[in-house]
């Protein structure tokens, strides 16, 4: 029984169905995983060959991360087995998999906040000389490895103090420090911007050249298309098939993942003129991150913020919203106001979706309902009493509206797949019914079908007369969605593009170079 | 999304399912009662049980407050000294008022107790939140302060309550309503109110959220400072109520009043299933924990196995076993 | 030059020690006012180790002419006090003697053994030589140990049977609970002995609550004013009391000062009696202004 | 990315820069010394300082162990009772051996102390890690157990050390080497060794990692169970060393020996800059913290302002102020 949809045209090679083609470094045979009786991965078989880049794609909650965690010893399969180079292996713990040469770059960042970058990199495999830890050498090697990835943080900085993107690079560096036979990347580029992505892809090609097998998960199908020798598609925990990579178009991949026809990714932009200014920010300065930034966003407008990693966009908005020390003159609907905390921002009708969903967005140990309503508790009250029935209704509605794939409405947030957590977070922010919505990385980790849905949501918001700011590292997304894009560089605004000028190359220019000569695009 | 829609009803049914983890403290309680009965049948005599549960009322009432503080991710070591301090203030005030107000000095004194409790809690809360001092150290400091104040107020001796108020006040500890001792009723009321606030109000949600993750709370528009401060204020109110029940028992406050209660309170909360790292509070478990502690002490006296010197050891062992049973019954 | 008298006593952690602190401070105040050339310094310590520290601190910072000390424990304080004696300080020891008696220039002894023994004698007498009793102990220290020893040695061979003995840490609340439990456990109790009056208060409350009438005697010890008042009032259950007056510290301080400034040397051993306080003599032991 | 590239070297330079946060406890120490001098010039006399620092040695030594336990994300409330228990065992053993071994009973007894300490620490560690019991509760339980055992061993009284050993053992507390009291040398040695292990060995790194995040540590192949157990064993060894220094000072063990030391130890560690939630340990700060606590107590004795009843309050206030100074000097 094949659940693969018919493609428009025949794929040149038929699905290989994971049949061994050569000597596999790692072979998964009939892997299944159940969580509390719910099957999230069923009978998956896969061969990973040396020097091969093997992409795993699928919708949010399809079981990709679960699969990767099984391969790298973070969890143990309910059924099925693993073998390496023909010999059966069992990993009860991640370090056993690591010792066998398998490294995983986690989708959710897994670093100890209170430790330094170098301590995190060498955790559990410290270098020593005569029994004494050799800090100098570890620091030097760490610096070198980080520099290779284009990450400029000091090895002795505390992880808690460095930006999210750098944490991701540190995590990648950790997997690359030792020589592994299989390296697994679970959405490594979700928090990275163009330059870093390019550098990472180069490193992955380099791994391939050295005969390392790479497993690669991403919702950015363009990356998959560039990288993958093979693509394995998962849907609802089941294998759809394994296909030769270069023969698949992005549209093919999307169809295989979703199992149905997809609408256009970006909804049409509204043609009506945006209204009066909703939010005006003048001379916003966030010490150390952003300086003298002024902008305004109008009713019914989607304003994009673009920039490279470290441009200071996140910190700028956290400063404006009272989440970190900053100075700014703010006017909301023409009324000057001071915002000293997120509470005041919410009361004024400004919602903010953080880019760090694990650290700042969701209580992973808490159930879905309380997570959803946490910012909008007042709406679930009658008198002094919380109305849990209202909360349950809101959750059911959010689950349906945002297509959050949950196995149970009483799950905990940490049990959701990454993309579904992101959707829950979005639902949480929009539940406060803000008139200005600031969304930092709206589609991080969200699959292509749902991306389209989220874009529709954002368009709906502005259609209702709200104003929306979208901060994104995906330039394509900004171009597809926004009416106007402000580009930041080194904490300052380096330019603004709209209309014809709104192209990826122009944004990249403004984001990287001192004086950019913008080219006219768009019309072709 | 058929899968979803099908699975949703099944799982919302699960919500009402019996949870072994939550039942842990109650199972431990039942086991202890059974053990007690085997050792000495008098253990289950109504008088003995009534005595023990009445005695556990103070710790239970304070521990309800501690459940808030602990689930908000903090700790309060000062509660024992605070009981003594509030009891001292209350008695002094009642004694001063007795000549003019007569028996009405008692409710007036109770009001003073509550106000003092709220202020003490507020002080603790502000030192911890605004002062940003580790709760352990901050409340260790205020513990010394409250203890020293009651020692100072009593000159190291005793402040007894005025004889004229003694008999009128006695029923608050020794009286019964419909056969149930008043302290038990009060602690049940405090627990019910606590459970309501923690589980059924905005504040309860926020309290648990702050304990689970300060950052997430802050980014959700919750003020960590005020949420945690309010938890300490609630703790102060609970301590005041405990002090109000305490005073009529012996009719006096001394510098040894409430000594080491803080440890009992924290133990009761933890035995009850609340995690010390915060984010989760179990009011009813806490009550069970307080009763368990008092039952263990009672069992030590009622049994004849244990040398007087070793009572503390056996108590320690039983507590550890109770925790182990709880942990591995999951 | 001023003569310095240092007074080192336990911190006020329960009624009796509170009485000690009260009387020591009263003595210091009176003497400092009355004798301009004498300075009395009172320091309290919460444990034996702290008391040793306090001795070091007092003697390191100034020359002490005399030291009046109520040691936490004999064993642990002997060496440190000797060190102070060796630099020429006059040593007055109160209540608990040091293990090396030659260190003590003046020794004012309370008699804890007698507290236990006298109470026991009265009890044997009153119960007619037989009966079932329960006992509450204090904090495991020398005082507690000696009182219990005095008591148990005296009842040995009589028909008095100790049903149970447990610690209640000289704390009225613990004593209340313990007595409740004793009452639940033993259907018949003839008498209770709490070796300290703080505990007796808790015991009396518990007995009162239970409404039991089998308890003929509930005795304490130390001479707390509320209990002495009961004796004066002729209470049936608590008809006697054993004094162990915390005021002995005051006597010791006065005697020490007399030695420093007076003509005649005051030396030697003074053993304070622990006679039974009865209705007849109770007024002599009643100090309504003391906190104890 | 010029700004970025420029900022990188700046921040790696920062690493060697003077850190106010780390200096906090030492600044507080300096402030306290100055304050002490103002109140009573004798405060800074060499004898007084030597006394105070010598005295702080026990707490300092135990607190070095506690720095490991706390930075591994746990807590040990049993150290005070453990000192008493180990001291008791050691004295009993020395007394038994004295007739046959003579003065050699002392080193033999020391060996017994260390072995007992290691075993006690191991017991604590296993209850916490294998038993998965909240450290607060687990060590509260063992605190009761050790305290009861010493009470049992002494029959509620005192175990004094044999007279024949007393003079030979005395120098371990009262002796000096090159003019420096031996306990100071021992605590310096323990601290130096502790700092070496915590900062310069794999184990130290892993200890902090376990405290910073159990999950991350586990995923990095670090055994949380063995790392934390070893921290408790180190704590046990430190307690044993403290007990070895303690015995000659007072020459006896009693059921009240070491009471409430656990709170002093934890306070010293936290004042020293170690966070109670784990992940970071500051051995030298801990030593400063222990000295600060002892200086505050000394100041109370040397000054004449404070009513005897209020000493605890003033100490509490000073500790809170010290923490505030530390917090806001950052
Ligand atoms: N610990 C867990 N307990 C229960 N269910 C879980 C747990 N972990 C994952 N799941 C469920 O397993 C399914 C697959 O999750 P997984 O994280 O593998 O998805 P994914 O393909 O990586 O999705 P995404 O693209 O969103 O990251 C989800 O429905 C998720 O809710
Ligand atoms: N703790 C820190 N100490 C010093 N500099 C820092 C620290 N954290 C961030 N920075 C710097 O602040 C700037 C802005 O950081 P950040 O990467 O968060 O911006 P961003 O535009 O939001 O990027 P992203 O696209 O990842 O959201 C960068 O120059 C970064 O290196
Ligand atoms: Mg995933
Ligand atoms: Mg950002």
């Amino acid at each position: 029984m094949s659940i693969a949809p018919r493609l428009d045209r025949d794929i040149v090679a038929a699905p290989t169905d994971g049949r061994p083609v050569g000597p596999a470094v790692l072979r998964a045979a009939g892997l299944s995983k159940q969580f509390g009786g719910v099957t999230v991965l069923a009978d998956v078989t896969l061969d990973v060959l040396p020097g091969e880049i093997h992409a795993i794609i699928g919708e949010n909650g399809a079981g990709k991360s679960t699969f990767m965690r099984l391969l790298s010893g973070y969890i143990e399969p309910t059924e099925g087995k693993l073998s390496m180079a023909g010999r059966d292996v069992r990993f009860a713990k991640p370090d056993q998999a690591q010792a066998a040469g398998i490294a995983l770059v986690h989708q959710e960042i897994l670093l100890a906040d209170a430790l330094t970058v170098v301590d995190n990199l060498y955790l559990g495999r410290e270098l020593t000389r005569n029994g004494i830890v050799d800090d100098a050498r570890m620091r030097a090697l760490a610096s070198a490895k980080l520099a290779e990835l284009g990450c400029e943080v000091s090895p002795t900085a505390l992880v808690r103090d460095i930006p999210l993107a750098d944490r991701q690079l540190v995590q990648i560096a950790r997997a690359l420090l030792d020589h592994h036979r299989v390296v697994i990347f679970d959405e490594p580029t979700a928090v990275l911007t163009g330059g870093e992505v390019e550098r990472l892809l180069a490193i992955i090609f380099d791994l391939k050249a050295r005969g390392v097998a790479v497993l690669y998960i991403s919702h950015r199908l363009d990356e998959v298309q560039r990288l993958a020798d093979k693509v394995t598609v998962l849907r609802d925990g089941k294998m759809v098939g394994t296909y030769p990579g270069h023969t698949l178009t992005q549209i093919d991949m999307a169809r295989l993942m979703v199992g149905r026809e997809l609408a256009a990714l970006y909804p049409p932009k509204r043609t009506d003129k945006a209204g009066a200014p909703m939010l005006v920010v003048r001379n916003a300065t966030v010490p150390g991150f952003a300086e003298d930034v002024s902008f305004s966003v109008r009713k019914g407008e989607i304003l994009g913020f673009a920039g490279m990693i470290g441009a200071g966009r996140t910190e700028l908005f956290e400063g404006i919203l009272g989440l970190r020390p900053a100075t700014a003159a703010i006017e909301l609907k023409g009324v000057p106001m001071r915002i000293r905390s997120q509470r005041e921002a919410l009361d004024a009708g400004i919602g903010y979706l953080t880019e760090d969903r694990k650290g700042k967005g969701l209580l992973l140990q808490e159930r879905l309902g309380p997570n959803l309503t946490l910012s909008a508790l007042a709406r679930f009250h009658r008198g002094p009493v919380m109305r849990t029935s209202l909360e349950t209704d809101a959750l059911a509605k959010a689950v349906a509206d945002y297509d959050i794939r949950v196995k149970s409405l009483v799950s905990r947030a940490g049990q959701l797949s990454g993309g579904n957590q992101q959707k829950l977070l979005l639902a949480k922010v929009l539940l406060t019914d803000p008139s200005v919505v600031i969304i930092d990385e709206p589609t991080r980790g969200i699959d292509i079908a749902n991306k389209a849905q989220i874009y529709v949501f954002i368009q709906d918001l502005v259609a209702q007369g709200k104003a929306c700011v979208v901060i994104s590292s995906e330039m394509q997304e900004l171009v597809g969605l926004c009416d106007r894009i402000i580009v930041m560089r080194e904490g300052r605004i380096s330019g603004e593009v709209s209309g014809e000028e709104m192209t990826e190359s122009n944004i990249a220019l403004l984001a990287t170079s001192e004086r950019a000569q913008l080219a006219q695009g768009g019309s072709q | 999304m058929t899968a979803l829609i099908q699975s949703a009803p099944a799982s919302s049914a699960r919500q009402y399912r019996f949870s072994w983890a939550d039942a842990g403290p109650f199972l431990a309680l039942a086991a202890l009662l059974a053990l007690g009965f085997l050792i000495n049948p008098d253990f289950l005599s109504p008088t003995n049980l009534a005595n023990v549960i009445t005695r556990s009322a103070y710790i239970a009432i304070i521990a309800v407050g501690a459940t808030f503080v602990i689930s908000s991710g903090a700790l309060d070591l000062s509660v024992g000294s605070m009981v003594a301090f509030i009891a001292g203030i209350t008695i002094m005030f009642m004694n001063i008022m007795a000549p003019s107000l007569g028996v009405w000095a008692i409710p007036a004194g109770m009001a003073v107790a509550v106000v003092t409790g709220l202020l003490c809690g507020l002080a603790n809360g502000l030192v911890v939140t605004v002062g940003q001092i580790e709760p352990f150290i901050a409340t260790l400091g205020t513990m010394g302060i409250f203890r020293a104040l009651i020692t100072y107020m009593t000159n190291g001796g005793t402040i007894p309550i005025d004889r004229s108020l003694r008999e009128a006040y006695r029923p608050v500890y020794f009286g019964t309503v419909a056969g149930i001792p008043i302290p038990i009723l009060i602690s049940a009321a405090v627990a019910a109110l606590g459970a309501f606030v923690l589980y059924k109000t905005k504040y309860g949600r926020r309290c648990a959220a702050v304990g689970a993750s300060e950052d997430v709370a802050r980014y959700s528009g919750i003020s960590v400072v005020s949420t945690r401060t309010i938890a300490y204020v609630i703790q102060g109110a609970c301590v005041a109520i405990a002090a109000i029940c305490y005073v009529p028992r012996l009719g006096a406050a001394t510098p040894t009043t409430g000594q080491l209660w803080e440890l009992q309170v924290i133990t009761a909360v933890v035995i009850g299933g609340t995690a010390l790292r915060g984010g989760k509070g179990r009011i009813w478990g806490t009550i069970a924990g307080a009763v368990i502690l008092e039952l263990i002490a009672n069992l030590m006296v009622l049994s004849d196995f244990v040398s007087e010197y070793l009572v503390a050891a056996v108590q320690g062992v039983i507590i550890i076993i109770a925790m182990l049973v709880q942990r591995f019954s999951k | 030059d001023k003569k310095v008298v240092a007074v080192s006593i336990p911190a006020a952690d329960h009624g009796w020690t509170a009485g000690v602190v009260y009387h020591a401070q009263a003595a210091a105040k009176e003497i400092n006012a009355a004798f301009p050339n004498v300075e009395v310094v009172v320091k309290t310590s919460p444990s034996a180790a702290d008391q040793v520290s306090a001795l070091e601190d007092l003697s390191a910072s100034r020359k002490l002419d005399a030291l009046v000390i109520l040691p936490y424990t004999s064993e642990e304080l002997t060496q440190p006090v000797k060190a102070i004696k060796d630099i020429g300080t006059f040593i007055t020891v109160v209540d608990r003697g040091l293990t090396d008696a030659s260190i003590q220039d003046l020794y004012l002894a309370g008699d804890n053994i007698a507290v236990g023994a006298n109470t026991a004698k009265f009890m044997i007498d009153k119960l007619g030589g037989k009966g079932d009793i329960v006992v509450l102990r204090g904090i495991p220290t020398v005082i507690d140990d000696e009182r219990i020893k005095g008591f148990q040695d005296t009842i040995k061979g009589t028909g008095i049977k100790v049903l149970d003995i447990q610690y209640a840490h000289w704390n009225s609340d613990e004593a209340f609970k313990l007595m409740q439990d004793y009452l639940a456990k033993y259907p018949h109790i003839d008498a209770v002995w709490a070796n300290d009056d703080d505990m007796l208060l808790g015991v009396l409350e518990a007995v009162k609550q239970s409404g039991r009438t089998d308890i003929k005697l509930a005795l304490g010890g130390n001479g707390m004013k509320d209990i002495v008042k009961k004796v004066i009032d002729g209470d049936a259950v608590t008809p006697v009391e054993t004094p162990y007056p915390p005021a002995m510290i005051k006597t010791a301080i006065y005697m020490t000062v007399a030695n420093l400034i007076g003509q005649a040397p005051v030396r030697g051993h003074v053993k304070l009696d622990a006679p039974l306080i009865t209705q007849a003599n109770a007024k002599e032991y009643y100090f309504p202004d003391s906190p104890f």
Side-chain angles (χ1 to χ4, degrees), chain A residues 35 40 60-66 107 187 219 407 415 417-419:
Chain A
F35 286 111
V40 299
N60 292 133
K64 305 177 294 294
S65 299
T66 304
Q107 180 178 13
E187 292 186 43
H219 290 295
K407 301 291 180 210
Q415 294 173 338
S417 80

Side-chain angles (χ1 to χ4, degrees), chain A residues 163-165 191 193 308-315 318 352 354-356 440-441 444 471-473:
Chain A
L164 197 62
V191 297
T193 49
M308 302 289 289
I309 285 187
R313 296 162 297 167
T314 298
E315 284 79 1
E318 287 181 346
Y352 174 63
T354 169
E355 60 175 349
D356 183 4
D440 199 349
E441 309 291 357
R444 159 168 303 168
I471 306 166
S472 174
S473 302

Side-chain angles (χ1 to χ4, degrees), chain A residues 92-263:
Chain A
K93 289 200 209 127
D95 53 308
Q96 293 172 352
Q98 260 177 43
I102 303 173
L104 169 65
V105 178
H106 232 261
Q107 180 178 13
E108 306 298 335
I109 287 170
L110 203 59
L111 297 171
D113 272 1
L115 302 185
T116 61
V117 167
V118 59
D119 281 348
N120 266 289
L121 284 176
Y122 282 95
L123 203 55
R125 46 184 171 160
E126 300 81 3
L127 303 180
T128 55
R129 192 170 4 152
N130 308 324
I132 300 175
V133 286
D134 192 348
D135 279 318
R137 202 161 121 239
M138 288 194 286
R139 235 175 265 151
L141 291 175
S143 290
K145 187 52 86 179
L146 290 171
E148 208 179 302
L149 285 165
C151 174
E152 303 281 354
V153 296
S154 156
T156 52
L158 291 180
V159 164
R160 106 156 45 93
D161 295 335
I162 68 174
L164 197 62
D166 285 328
R167 291 185 206 183
Q168 175 69 346
L169 292 174
V170 170
Q171 208 181 213
I172 294 170
R174 188 175 153 74
L176 299 179
L177 265 182
D178 288 346
H179 294 290
H180 290 292
R181 292 201 277 168
V182 182
V183 181
I184 305 172
F185 295 93
D186 192 349
E187 292 186 43
T189 55
V191 297
L192 302 182
T193 49
E196 285 72 26
V197 174
E198 289 309 317
R199 226 169 296 190
L200 179 64
L201 297 193
I203 285 170
I204 291 174
F205 279 122
D206 187 45
L207 290 173
K208 171 184 160 82
R210 294 210 314 258
V212 176
V214 174
L215 281 161
Y216 192 87
I217 296 178
S218 181
H219 290 295
R220 296 185 180 176
L221 299 180
D222 52 332
E223 289 168 7
V224 173
Q225 200 181 21
R226 283 175 57 192
L227 279 173
D229 298 314
K230 282 191 198 137
V231 178
T232 290
V233 184
L234 293 181
R235 193 190 314 146
D236 283 336
K238 298 185 197 73
M239 284 275 283
V240 174
T242 299
Y243 305 88
H246 305 292
T247 61
L248 289 181
T249 65
Q250 292 183 40
I251 293 172
D252 293 336
M253 290 189 231
R255 281 189 197 143
L256 286 169
M257 281 162 55
V258 181
R260 61 186 143 85
E261 290 297 318
L262 278 178

Side-chain angles (χ1 to χ4, degrees), chain C residues 57-96:
Chain C
D57 293 344
L58 286 168
S59 60
S61 60
R62 53 182 128 189
K63 161 96 182 64
L64 301 181
D65 295 288
L67 170 71
V68 180
I69 179 167
L70 199 164
Y72 251 91
T73 56
S74 311
E75 212 50 70
E76 296 170 298
L77 270 301
T78 298
Q79 286 299 333
V81 174
K82 182 162 185 301
I84 293 180
K85 163 107 175 166
D86 290 345
I87 54 173
T89 303
F90 182 89
I91 304 290
T92 301
V93 176
V94 184
D95 190 26
R96 266 151 269 172

Side-chain angles (χ1 to χ4, degrees), chain C residues 121 138 165 196 263:
Chain C
K121 275 185 212 135
I165 180 165
D196 165 278
Q263 310 303 325

